Each structure stands twice: as structure tokens, then as C-alpha cells.
Amino acid sequence: MSLRLENIAKTFKTPNATLQVLTGLNLEIRDKEMWVIFGKSGAGKSTLLNLLGGMDTPTAGKVSVDGVDLSGLKPDALAQLRKDKIGYVFQAFNLLSNLKAKENIILPVMLDKEREKKISRIMQLAEEWGIKERLSHLPAELSLGEQQRVAILRALINSPSIILADEPTAHLDNENATRVIELFKKLNREQGVTCVIVTDHEAIASQFEHRFNLG
Amino acid sequence: MIKFALNNLITRRRRTFVSLAGISISVALFISVILILKTAQGAFRKPLENAGSDMIVQLQGEPCVWAVVKLPTNLNPIPFKFLGRIRSLNEVADAEGALITWVFPVSKVTQLEKPSQPPDIIPKDKLQQGRENGASKAPCEYGPPGSFCNDSNNSNDRAPVLTNFSPIVVVGVNPEPGELGPITKSDLKNIQGRYFNKEDKFAVILDRDFARTRNLKLEEMIDLGPRVDNKIIGIVNPGYDARIAGAQVFVPLKVAMDMAGRGEIVDIIFIKLKGGVNAGAVEQKIRKVLENDAVTITTSRDYLSSVAGFSILAQGLMLAIFFIVILISFLFIAKTVFWAVWERSSEIGVLKAVGWRNADIIRVVVLENIILGIAAGLIGSLIGYFASFIYKVNLPAVLPYYLNPYPPCSQYLAKNTIQVSGAFPWGVFLAAIMLTVLIQLIFSLMALLRILKLTPAEATRKI
């Protein structure tokens, strides 16, 4: 799936000030490409990722996914797109504190009738990542690394065509960080998943072919 | 979805508890005020309902102290002709008169000379006993019979030989039973024996408890004042509820008039008003008809102060408190519900981010709030019911003395305690629960729809 940003601007208004985060930004990510968005803290990397994933709306400009202008989609259609096509990993994980790890992972398919296949596949991955024993725990009982893995597994449960990950290795040790990056590469290579990763680590950024620098 | 909603309520214990407690307290306040008001209203309406009437008319006055058969303390005779005038008022659907008397039983009637002063024939220990029995704080200053009343119409100017110092409360009633008065058709459903017929003269009907106390049975005789050959033709059981003009012995009205010896009189009038009539305006008309300032007119509103401990001022205050409580309860529920949903903005943002449709989120929140509303409504209603029950138990629901005047030296107390309805207020409960759920839904949806307008990124930022 391809992503396209045209002349994007994003402004945040606070009671005291107006913050211009992105201005006149253009970016085209083609199908099956792997991109890294690199920049220092506060440059607007997460804002850009939110716009790409239909999590937020731009103040000006156009965001398209596979040629479809997201601003023209109704809320339910946008929700369906996020569910079926986009796997999103939040920087702060955004796990629901009252749900166990497993329930957080299956949250996107919780209301689906045919979900067992997806659940068993993702549980296999959870086992490979060494957190199977931790699935019955609440997020507060997990380490940051474990929480991050749970957040990534949640993003992968629907076998998305696009993965948008906001600093997915920030809280992982080197071994697990490498494992995550390798997983994204594998998904890209074997299943043609388009990946966009936000990072401020040069070592991670240098592993990607396409790079967009912010700030 | 139900599992998810329940899980949300169970796992977010603190939030659920705070919501539940807040809403329950509001519902409890609401329910207790409604039930207390309902209880008080029920308490003071019941005796009038038992008599099938809306209004009671009596005349105040000094009693005839020394007669064998006399009108009760502070009751004066109302000429029978006034009953017809009251009936003819446009606003009055029906009116019925009765004659409450106190009758001192005697075994013989002996013609004596008029004494220069009333004989002191009530032993002091009897007086003391009457007080200890709780009959009244006052001594039996209106007995004993045996002398003369200044009233020239009084024919009881004989000194009888007393057999009992305790007078019997005898009420003269219409020999044709109706829906109005001390004894109504509904009281006759369980009558033992029969009611009066037109030919009855020295026939009496007893209150069941009086008959039991005196061990009197059908067909036996009872002495009332000068006459000893009064045949018991019926025994009625009006229950233990307070009754206006609740007699120990009922006689036909004409017989009671003869016994009192003061002509065609009644001393209490029961009035049934036509629907939608202003009772205040009718009161004015009745005062005009009776041409007497000493008229006591009682409606359910008037003796609320005596029965439920509410003065007119307190009633107004109660109503004001009622509306304030309703307003506070409503605002409290609204605020609790609104913030309970609003603080979940980030959670709802996450659900949106992972692809939940707005309709799915609305369904879950609605389900949670229905469960919460029912639970809070139920808990609050039970707490409110318990609070009102405590009030009910302590309610001084006693009929004012003048509506059921028993002599202070009566052997046993008048049935003046109003049995406040013990029926479980299902209607109020259901209404409270439904109202709670409705308020829950309205305010949770108000908060939710505001959150759903946000993008997932905006919603998740509201932590």
C-alpha cells in the first residue's frame, strides 16, 4: 500500500499559543517500501506518523492511502481502514490498563466473530518473543520492554498492509530491538508490508533504505 | 460485548465504585424524600379514606358534664337540618352525619332529687388507674354521671346507679349503609350477624375488639345508659387502623339522638366533595351555612400537622427541600456520569485507533451505563427505602383526638394509631431505576459523543 502526503501543515492550538509543527510537507511512500522518519525530539515525527495512519487530521494539505484521500472518508470507513490495513505502534504503547496483555493484543479483533485464527497466529508470535507466560498479566505488571512487545503484537494481529511504528525499539534491549526490526524487515520482505518507523536513533535509522529527516 | 462491558466495570473497581456510590447516594436521597412525603401523605389521608370522605365538620363547645349520655368533650351538637343544607351545596357530592356519644352504663335508673353539687363518686384510685393506663394525661374530669346538665333539653337529669365508671363510646350511624361515615359498606363485608334495618330500635352493633374485651356475643344484651336491653345484632371488624368516629358500639342515628335527648342532632359530618373542587372554597361556604365560628373543618391537609408532625410551614419547607434534593440528585448523577465517561477519553481514543467503529464504542458504553444505572438505582432505592422506613417507624401517626374522641377515663385506648401503608413501593422503585438509567444514558452519551468527535490522536492525548 502506498502513502502520500501533499503540502501538509499541522498546527496545535493551546490556550496560550499556536504551535506550527509541520509546514508544506510532501512525502510519497510507495507500496512495499521501508521508511524511517528521523529527527530530534519535538520535530514532529509522531505527528507525521499520526497523519499517515489516519489518527489525526492535517490543518492543511492532503493525506492519501492507496490514492484514497483520508479526509473524504467517513468515520466508520476510516476506522475500518485503520483496523484492516494499518498496524500502529504507539510511542507510549497506549495499552488499556484494565485489560490483561492478551486482551490488549486481541483488542482490535475482540468484537469480530471469526477471530480465533488471528489469535492463534499472534499467540505463536508471542511465544517466539518470549512473553507467552506474561499474557495473563496487566500492563502495570509488565516491564517496559514487555509492554512494547504487547503493543507491537496488537498492531500485527490483523496482518496489516502498513505498519506505522513510533519508536518501536525505545524500551527494548539490543537483542529484542534487533528482533523487532528484523520482524518488520521480514514482514516487508515476505509479505510486502509497507513499514514506516519513527526513531531518533541513528543506528536504527541507518538500517533503512528510505529515510525522511525532520527538523 | 457484554463480557467486555462487564470486564470494564469489574476491573475498573475504583471508578465503578465511585460512580456507583455517587449515583446511589443521589438515588437514595431522591427515593427517601419521595417515600417520606408519600408516607406522610398516606398517613394523613388514610383515616379520611376509611370514612370515604374528604372533609369532616364538627362544632366545638363545652361538654355537658353530668349526663349519663353525653356528647364527647369539646363537641357541640349540629342541628340535623344543617346536614341537608350542606348536601345541597353544589360542590358537595354527598354528606353523612353521625352522633358520637359517651354512654355510662347503669343497671337501674333511679329518680333522685337534684343534688346541690355533683357527687364525688369516682374513687381516686380509678382516676389514677386511668392515667397509668395511658388513657390520657388528663384526669376523668367529665364523669361521673348522676347529676344534671344545665341544658334544658337534657332528659338525663336522673342520678343513676353506676355499674361501671368507664363510659362506652356509642356512635349513631345511618341505618342504611353507604360509602360515607364511621361505618361503610366495605366494613360490612366481614360483619358477623347483620346490619341495622329500619325496624331496629334497641339493636346495637359492636366493634369486634370491644366485644372480645367484654366477652359479648351476638344476641346478648348490653346496657347503655338508662337502657339495659340493647340486643347485639352484629359485630364488625374495622381492623386496627385509626377510624374517625370509631365507636365501640354502633346504634341507629335516631336511637343515638333519643339517648342524647337533645333533639335531632349530629356532632360530626362526613363530606365527600365532587372531583376537582377547591376544598378551601367549600370550607368557607360550610362555615356560612352553619353560622358558627366554632366550626372545625378537617381535611387531609389540615391535620397533617397532627398526624405526620408537619406544620403548614414545614409542608412548604418539605416541598422546597424535595425540589432541591431532586435538583441536586439530578446534577450529581449528571456530573458523575459525564466525568466517568469523559475521563475515559484516552481509552476510547485507543479503541478508535485500533479500528473500533463509533457504533461499537457507543454500544459498550451504553451497556456499561445500563448495568451501572440499574445497579445504582437498585442500591440507591434500597438505601432510600430503608431511610424512609426508619422515618415511617418513628412517624407519630396518631389521629387527632377530636376526630375519635374517647373519654380520658375509658377502659382502653381509642384506635387512633394510623397504620401507615407497608406496601413495597415497586412503582417508585421502577421509576427511580428507569430515571437513573435514562440520566446515565443521556449524560454518558453527551460525554461520549464529544469524545467521538475527536481524532484518535486527540483523544489519546487527553490523559
Side-chain angles (χ1 to χ4, degrees):
Chain A
M1 285 190 103
S2 64
L3 299 162
R4 192 183 172 94
L5 301 179
E6 290 174 70
N7 208 19
I8 290 294
K10 182 66 183 175
T11 305
F12 291 104
K13 283 181 182 170
T14 64
N16 303 320
T18 301
L19 192 63
Q20 184 87 35
V21 179
L22 302 171
T23 325
L25 190 146
N26 291 291
L27 174 66
E28 183 165 8
I29 298 169
R30 292 193 184 88
D31 191 23
K32 298 171 189 172
E33 282 184 348
M34 281 201 80
W35 279 75
V36 65
I37 297 169
F38 184 76
K40 57 186 179 184
S41 182
K45 302 186 294 293
S46 298
T47 304
L48 178 57
L49 203 68
N50 279 338
L51 295 174
L52 284 170
M55 300 287 176
D56 212 348
T57 50
T59 312
K62 194 167 107 176
V63 181
S64 312
V65 175
D66 260 359
V68 177
D69 183 1
L70 295 189
S71 66
L73 292 180
K74 288 185 173 171
D76 278 357
L78 197 55
Q80 202 65 44
L81 177 79
R82 282 195 295 261
K83 182 180 177 183
D84 295 340
K85 307 290 180 192
I86 300 170
Y88 199 99
V89 182
F90 292 92
Q91 188 179 6
F93 319 136
N94 284 351
L95 301 177
L96 298 188
S97 59
N98 63 318
L99 298 185
K100 291 171 184 165
K102 185 180 176 182
E103 292 165 334
N104 265 293
I105 293 170
I106 67 170
L107 191 62
V109 296
M110 199 173 257
L111 302 182
D112 293 359
K113 283 176 185 165
E114 293 169 10
R115 60 190 176 195
E116 289 310 316
K117 212 171 176 180
K118 290 176 180 175
I119 292 172
S120 64
R121 188 182 56 77
I122 208 74
M123 287 303 119
Q124 213 172 331
L125 194 57
E127 193 170 3
E128 282 173 31
W129 285 10
I131 57 163
K132 197 183 176 189
E133 307 303 318
R134 311 289 288 156
L135 291 179
S136 59
H137 289 261
L138 293 171
E141 296 161 354
L142 302 175
S143 70
L144 287 175
E146 286 168 336
Q147 287 183 43
Q148 190 139 30
R149 274 174 275 171
V150 169
I152 295 169
L153 287 169
R154 184 176 67 186
L156 296 177
I157 193 166
N158 267 321
S159 306
S161 308
I162 306 167
I163 289 175
L164 304 171
D166 196 351
E167 310 224 18
T169 58
H171 302 283
L172 300 179
D173 54 34
N174 284 338
E175 189 190 336
N176 276 312
T178 307
R179 193 180 277 179
V180 165
I181 297 299
E182 285 308 315
L183 173 79
F184 290 154
K185 283 179 180 173
K186 190 180 168 192
L187 289 169
N188 174 258
R189 196 172 53 242
E190 293 177 1
Q191 295 173 32
V193 175
T194 307
C195 293
V196 181
I197 289 162
V198 162
T199 187
D200 55 3
H201 288 281
E202 182 57 45
I204 303 281
S206 63
Q207 295 182 42
F208 290 80
E209 190 184 347
H210 302 284
R211 175 172 172 145
F212 187 82
N213 288 313
L214 264 178
Chain B
M1 192 170 281
I2 294 174
K3 200 178 162 192
F4 185 77
L6 275 173
N7 187 56
N8 266 346
L9 292 172
I10 294 164
T11 53
R12 301 225 185 248
R13 283 191 199 109
R14 204 172 141 197
R15 189 175 65 200
T16 305
F17 176 76
V18 169
S19 297
L20 212 56
I23 299 163
S24 299
I25 290 167
S26 306
V27 175
L29 268 173
F30 175 76
I31 285 284
S32 57
V33 167
I34 284 186
L35 291 185
I36 284 172
L37 213 62
K38 216 168 133 65
T39 302
Q41 284 175 341
F44 68 76
R45 276 190 190 142
K46 210 174 172 196
L48 278 174
E49 284 171 4
N50 285 343
S53 58
D54 299 313
M55 198 176 264
I56 302 292
V57 178
Q58 292 167 299
L59 258 183
Q60 292 171 359
E62 287 303 311
C64 172
V65 175
W66 302 111
V68 172
V69 176
K70 60 178 156 241
L71 306 197
T73 309
N74 295 339
L75 280 190
N76 256 6
I78 303 171
F80 193 75
K81 62 183 179 186
F82 286 126
L83 188 61
R85 289 184 196 170
I86 290 172
R87 277 190 186 128
S88 67
L89 291 174
N90 285 335
E91 296 86 348
V92 173
D94 196 8
E96 192 63 74
L99 185 59
I100 310 171
T101 60
W102 293 350
V103 176
F104 289 81
V106 291
S107 60
K108 296 178 201 172
V109 179
T110 313
Q111 189 75 38
L112 293 175
E113 288 297 316
K114 188 175 177 177
S116 56
Q117 59 179 35
D120 182 16
I121 60 170
I122 292 185
K124 282 185 180 172
D125 60 326
K126 284 275 179 192
L127 275 178
Q128 191 59 35
Q129 193 183 328
R131 282 178 222 155
E132 283 166 1
N133 288 342
S136 169
K137 287 174 185 172
C140 192
E141 68 244 66
Y142 298 110
S147 187
F148 306 90
C149 193
N150 289 332
D151 188 341
S152 57
N153 291 327
N154 193 342
S155 62
N156 296 310
D157 49 355
R158 301 180 181 91
V161 177
L162 291 167
T163 57
N164 194 323
F165 294 110
S166 298
I168 298 169
V169 179
V170 177
V171 174
V173 293
N174 189 339
E176 289 175 27
E179 306 293 347
L180 206 56
I183 190 161
T184 61
K185 274 181 183 170
S186 61
D187 295 319
L188 301 180
K189 284 174 191 163
N190 299 318
I191 191 169
Q192 190 188 340
R194 64 172 177 83
Y195 193 64
F196 302 114
N197 59 39
K198 283 180 183 174
E199 287 73 41
D200 286 327
K201 189 161 187 193
F202 300 111
V204 298
I205 293 173
L206 305 189
D207 172 86
R208 188 192 63 174
D209 296 315
F210 176 76
R212 280 184 183 170
T213 311
R214 295 286 181 95
N215 199 23
L216 293 166
K217 294 184 177 57
L218 283 175
E219 304 298 322
E220 288 183 351
M221 298 291 177
I222 178 172
D223 56 334
L224 297 175
R227 285 202 64 93
V228 294
D229 51 350
N230 300 287
K231 190 175 176 185
I232 302 167
I233 60 158
I235 296 174
V236 285
N237 178 20
Y240 295 101
D241 213 352
R243 301 291 295 223
I244 296 170
Q248 294 167 334
V249 177
F250 294 98
V251 297
L253 182 58
K254 186 77 181 64
V255 175
M257 287 174 182
D258 289 344
M259 286 168 69
R262 299 177 74 168
E264 292 201 319
I265 56 157
V266 292
D267 55 9
I268 184 163
I269 296 174
F270 298 80
I271 296 173
K272 182 74 185 167
L273 297 176
K274 286 178 182 165
V277 163
N278 177 5
V282 182
E283 276 186 44
Q284 293 305 318
K285 285 193 176 181
I286 290 170
R287 285 181 200 284
K288 218 171 174 181
V289 167
L290 294 178
E291 297 165 346
N292 197 318
D293 291 337
V295 172
T296 304
I297 297 178
T298 308
T299 61
S300 56
R301 191 167 160 266
D302 293 325
Y303 71 90
L304 180 62
S305 54
S306 308
V307 175
F310 293 148
S311 65
I312 296 297
L313 181 69
Q315 288 175 51
L317 201 66
M318 192 74 187
L319 210 63
I321 291 170
F322 174 73
F323 282 114
I324 289 168
V325 166
I326 295 228
L327 191 69
I328 290 172
S329 308
F330 179 79
L331 290 176
F332 201 70
I333 294 176
K335 185 177 179 290
T336 308
V337 172
F338 188 89
W339 285 106
V341 175
W342 187 248
E343 67 162 18
R344 295 171 66 182
S345 298
S346 71
E347 179 189 326
I348 290 163
V350 171
L351 293 177
K352 278 172 73 98
V354 300
W356 281 44
R357 292 175 307 146
N358 285 354
D360 296 331
I361 298 168
I362 288 172
R363 264 187 229 123
V364 167
V365 172
V366 163
L367 208 57
E368 281 178 30
N369 279 283
I370 288 176
I371 296 168
L372 206 60
I374 291 173
L378 210 62
I379 294 169
S381 297
L382 286 173
I383 295 170
Y385 177 72
F386 183 69
S388 72
F389 182 76
I390 291 172
Y391 168 80
K392 194 163 79 176
V393 168
N394 295 300
L395 181 70
V398 177
L399 202 63
Y401 174 76
Y402 55 86
L403 291 177
N404 194 17
Y406 267 46
C409 51
S410 177
Q411 251 187 348
Y412 55 87
L413 297 174
K415 289 177 187 172
N416 276 355
T417 305
I418 298 165
Q419 308 289 321
V420 181
S421 169
F424 199 73
W426 289 109
V428 176
F429 263 43
L430 280 176
I433 291 168
M434 281 167 67
L435 196 66
T436 311
V437 172
L438 193 69
I439 296 172
Q440 287 261 138
L441 289 181
I442 289 170
F443 286 93
S444 60
L445 284 176
M446 268 174 70
L448 185 60
L449 292 177
R450 278 181 69 176
I451 297 169
L452 291 178
K453 277 184 188 164
L454 303 173
T455 64
E458 287 168 338
T460 49
R461 272 197 295 269
K462 285 188 174 291
I463 296 175

